[in-house]
Amino acid sequence: MEKTVNQKAWFLVLPVLILVAFSAVIPLMTVVNYAFQDTFGNNKFFWAGLEWFEELLDSERMWGALGRQLAFSGIILAIEVPLGIFVALHMPKKGFWASFCLVLMSLPLLIPWNVVGTIWQVFGRVDIGLLGYTLDKLGISYNYTQDFFAAWATVIVMDVWHWTSLVALLAYAGLQSIPDAYYQAAKIDQASRWKVFRYIELPKMQGVLMIAILLRFMDSFMIYTEPFVVTGGGPGNSTTFLSIDLVKMALGQFDLGPAAAFSLMYFLVILLISWVFYTVMTNLDKRDGV
Amino acid sequence: MSRTVTTQRKAINTALAWGIGLLIFFPILWTFLTSFKTEATAIADPPVFLFFDWTLENYSVVTERSDYARFLWNSIFIAGGSTILGIIVAVPAAWSMAFVPSHRTKDILLWMLSTKMLPAVGVLYPIYLLFIKMGLLDSRLGLTLVLMLINLPIIVWMLYTYFREIPGEILEAARMDGATLRSEIIYVLTPMAVPGIASTLLLNFILAWNEAFWTLNLTAAKAAPLTAFIASYSSPEGLFYAKLSAASTMAIAPILILGWFSQKQLVRGLTFGAVK
């Protein structure tokens, strides 16, 4: 009996496995194929070995984009995670206002990504956008199309606006699962607010926070649409992140070999960082793995 | 709540919560307001907030210039089709992973997640060529399939998380009563799984609806959804902000309305089932 159920169960997983394998392996193979070959543009390919990879490792352009990408992901994680936790801690716990807050916070998550870019493009304009206009009147020189610092600030504020809600919602979910008895016990022990946070709330949020950080890392590391709409990678190359650079290379210049080598390294970097993070987190807390 | 919070502190917290709420809401509100201004009012200096002559002019211009209904229908078709197809394939798989786990289940889930880490940009060109060869370029069917494949790992993950929470004893009880696998699924499992499926459906519908990279690159005139509708208004000369705002409002309105009416499933979906 047990055996037949087991086999039937595997039979049910199979279609998904085939589909995911199809959607993952075929593009990956094509990329690998391009990455090791060269062409004169006549659809005949010949073996190029590690040429593209060597070129890539020597290119300052790639290292520049990678550096900017790491800085961007680092900064938005450093802002969004603490801010999200802070918001979650201060949200009403139940009743009408709780659901009102939840709906309000999910608004930015419902908007198509290129609309997010459009909204901030208009919002940040010095002449007509409320944000740019206000900053300008306050005497802060701000112009995201010309100033390096302003462009970065805009892209980061936009991402924080777009995604902090997700971290907050997940952290809120973690907090909801803490029984009142824990707080009562802490009160009897006269624990400080900080200790309640450090020893009760934070450990309980660890599981969902790990999901939040992983998701945010992956998405921010592959960010394309929003900064592309707002700054187009500029001014100069200052907000050209990895994906934007890759699009320029693959679609702008049709350098398929280097672009494929680029994607492959890109993929491996994401995989490596996620894996390190996942391993560290699961080892920190064996009880609570995903 | 048993923590003592002083009134003063409470007031500060409330003010903070409102402040953050307003900050979140404001850019959307600004876009909404701008859509009712004339182009001249939209670029007025200083910007006007509420007291201007509200006009529907932008909306009539936008609906005249582009066929909003067709974009909307394409969005619904693509987002709905890809989500429903994905759910149909994923439900049996997630069910068997949740109730008949093997020692490889966790590895399979992680592998599926890792397929999401290959940058979309890197595989655009191969997919593009494949689409030309198969005649799927600028077709709703092609886009539906691509988005289904893209979201499939997330659908499986979410369903798996929900199904795992269903107590196995209930299934054992059903088996004791002589239920077959088929009736077990239809009469016991489905009713308990519906809320989880609804949340997954909603979240993935929104993800597919908002997807802008593939929809913009794989469609032209025929199959273009609302994301392309917006893109057609962010013209390089960038002079028509009121019309751009009107188009943006029209593109996000359906999904905001949907979100409003299904808040509970929405929040559940967004938190992968962690908020009940």
Side-chain angles (χ1 to χ4, degrees):
Chain A
M1 171 68 193
E2 206 39 49
K3 191 89 183 167
T4 48
V5 169
N6 247 319
Q7 275 163 359
K8 270 184 193 160
W10 270 105
F11 189 64
L12 292 175
V13 182
L14 216 55
V16 170
L17 284 186
I18 293 169
L19 281 173
V20 175
F22 172 79
S23 68
V25 173
I26 297 215
L28 192 63
M29 269 167 51
T30 330
V31 171
V32 170
N33 198 22
Y34 277 123
F36 292 100
Q37 296 189 72
D38 200 359
T39 175
F40 291 125
N42 52 2
N43 241 352
K44 280 196 189 123
F45 289 88
F46 53 87
W47 179 250
L50 292 174
E51 193 186 313
W52 300 132
F53 292 93
E54 281 162 13
E55 198 174 281
L56 195 65
L57 287 176
D58 279 338
S59 102
E60 264 174 43
R61 179 175 155 184
M62 190 280 289
W63 289 110
L66 181 63
R68 283 188 291 273
Q69 186 70 73
L70 286 170
F72 176 75
S73 290
I75 291 173
I76 62 116
L77 279 177
I79 297 175
E80 284 173 17
V81 174
L83 188 65
I85 294 175
F86 176 81
V87 171
L89 285 174
H90 290 91
M91 268 167 67
K93 296 282 181 284
K94 45 182 87 101
F96 170 76
W97 289 110
S99 47
F100 182 78
C101 261
L102 288 174
V103 172
L104 193 70
M105 293 220 306
S106 38
L107 278 181
L109 303 171
L110 297 182
I111 297 177
W113 297 359
N114 61 339
V115 180
V116 171
T118 313
I119 288 177
W120 281 86
Q121 196 185 13
V122 176
F123 201 55
R125 295 262 314 202
V126 178
D127 49 351
I128 59 161
L130 200 63
L131 175 72
Y133 183 84
T134 317
L135 285 178
D136 196 50
K137 282 285 151 265
L138 289 174
I140 300 160
S141 95
Y142 169 86
N143 189 332
Y144 65 80
T145 53
Q146 271 154 33
D147 182 41
F148 168 85
F149 182 74
W152 266 80
T154 311
V155 174
I156 286 167
V157 169
M158 174 175 66
D159 199 81
V160 168
W161 177 77
H162 193 180
W163 289 111
T164 302
S165 303
L166 183 73
V167 182
L169 286 176
L170 283 164
Y172 180 76
L175 286 177
Q176 291 288 80
S177 68
I178 303 176
D180 263 0
Y182 283 38
Y183 290 118
Q184 283 153 11
K187 203 179 163 197
I188 292 168
D189 289 345
Q190 295 190 317
S192 65
R193 182 73 192 81
W194 166 250
K195 287 209 161 138
V196 170
F197 174 71
R198 174 67 189 81
Y199 295 105
I200 297 178
E201 290 171 332
L202 199 59
K204 276 284 176 183
M205 282 192 286
Q206 198 173 359
V208 280
L209 281 182
M210 187 170 92
I211 298 176
I213 294 174
L214 259 182
L215 282 176
R216 280 316 300 133
F217 167 73
M218 277 164 57
D219 282 343
S220 69
F221 214 76
M222 290 192 274
I223 193 166
Y224 172 75
T225 315
E226 300 100 307
F228 183 75
V229 171
V230 175
T231 65
N237 267 338
S238 57
T239 52
T240 301
F241 302 121
L242 285 173
S243 273
I244 297 182
D245 204 21
L246 186 54
V247 170
K248 279 185 190 164
M249 202 186 264
L251 301 179
Q253 298 154 237
F254 272 93
D255 288 337
L256 291 184
F262 195 140
S263 327
L264 216 53
M265 302 252 287
Y266 198 165
F267 175 56
L268 292 178
V269 169
I270 298 176
L271 204 60
L272 183 75
I273 298 179
S274 302
W275 179 77
V276 167
F277 178 76
Y278 182 82
T279 320
V280 169
M281 284 298 273
T282 35
N283 280 348
L284 270 183
D285 188 78
K286 283 262 194 247
R287 295 164 296 132
D288 245 305
V290 177
Chain B
M1 212 45 358
S2 50
R3 271 174 292 164
T4 33
V5 186
T6 60
T7 356
Q8 197 188 7
R9 190 128 170 229
K10 219 170 189 169
I12 294 173
N13 283 346
T14 318
L16 260 175
W18 275 104
I20 291 171
L22 273 178
L23 279 181
I24 289 174
F25 186 55
F26 210 77
I28 301 174
L29 180 69
W30 188 249
T31 311
F32 179 73
L33 289 175
T34 309
S35 72
F36 289 103
K37 296 172 180 173
T38 59
E39 291 295 345
T41 328
I43 56 168
D45 179 20
V48 280
F49 186 54
L50 277 176
F51 304 104
F52 54 86
D53 291 325
W54 291 58
T55 168
L56 285 171
E57 185 194 310
N58 301 309
Y59 287 93
S60 59
V61 171
V62 167
T63 39
E64 229 167 76
R65 218 179 90 178
S66 33
D67 190 356
Y68 175 71
R70 204 196 58 222
F71 286 103
L72 181 67
W73 167 238
N74 282 342
S75 268
I76 294 173
F77 184 97
I78 292 165
S82 66
T83 309
I84 290 167
L85 270 182
I87 296 257
I88 290 173
V89 188
V91 164
W95 174 81
S96 76
M97 280 198 248
F99 292 108
V100 200
S102 77
H103 58 284
R104 275 189 229 98
T105 302
K106 207 143 251 179
D107 297 337
I108 290 173
L109 282 168
L110 280 178
W111 169 69
M112 282 190 182
L113 196 67
S114 80
T115 63
K116 300 276 300 169
M117 295 175 192
L118 186 66
V121 195
V123 294
L124 174 63
Y125 194 69
I127 298 276
Y128 194 84
L129 288 182
L130 197 71
F131 261 51
I132 292 179
K133 267 185 207 153
M134 294 168 71
L136 285 174
L137 207 62
D138 197 17
S139 74
R140 283 194 291 254
L141 179 69
L143 212 54
T144 307
L145 288 176
V146 165
L147 289 185
M148 191 269 269
L149 289 176
I150 287 175
N151 286 334
L152 196 56
I154 295 191
I155 297 180
V156 175
W157 259 81
M158 285 184 69
L159 287 175
Y160 169 76
T161 327
Y162 289 125
F163 288 176
R164 222 177 31 171
E165 280 173 23
I166 298 174
E169 293 83 19
I170 287 189
L171 292 184
E172 275 162 32
R175 273 178 216 156
M176 290 280 279
D177 292 343
T180 60
L181 187 64
R182 201 171 140 261
S183 53
E184 192 181 298
I185 291 175
I186 294 174
Y187 298 110
V188 185
L189 214 71
T190 312
M192 295 185 71
V194 162
I197 295 178
S199 298
T200 313
L201 198 85
L202 190 70
L203 182 75
N204 282 281
F205 184 80
I206 290 168
L207 283 180
W209 184 281
N210 289 349
E211 211 291 324
F213 182 75
W214 292 103
T215 48
L216 286 180
N217 281 305
L218 293 180
T219 63
K222 250 172 43 212
L226 284 170
T227 43
F229 170 72
I230 293 298
S232 73
Y233 280 90
S234 17
S235 50
E237 63 270 33
L239 285 172
F240 306 106
Y241 285 105
K243 283 176 197 69
L244 178 60
S245 301
S248 300
T249 309
M250 286 167 78
I252 60 181
I255 205 82
L256 288 190
I257 292 166
L258 179 74
W260 185 261
F261 282 112
S262 52
Q263 352 176 323
K264 220 170 179 177
Q265 282 78 14
L266 177 71
V267 172
R268 252 189 88 152
L270 285 169
T271 55
F272 294 86
V275 170
K276 299 284 148 40

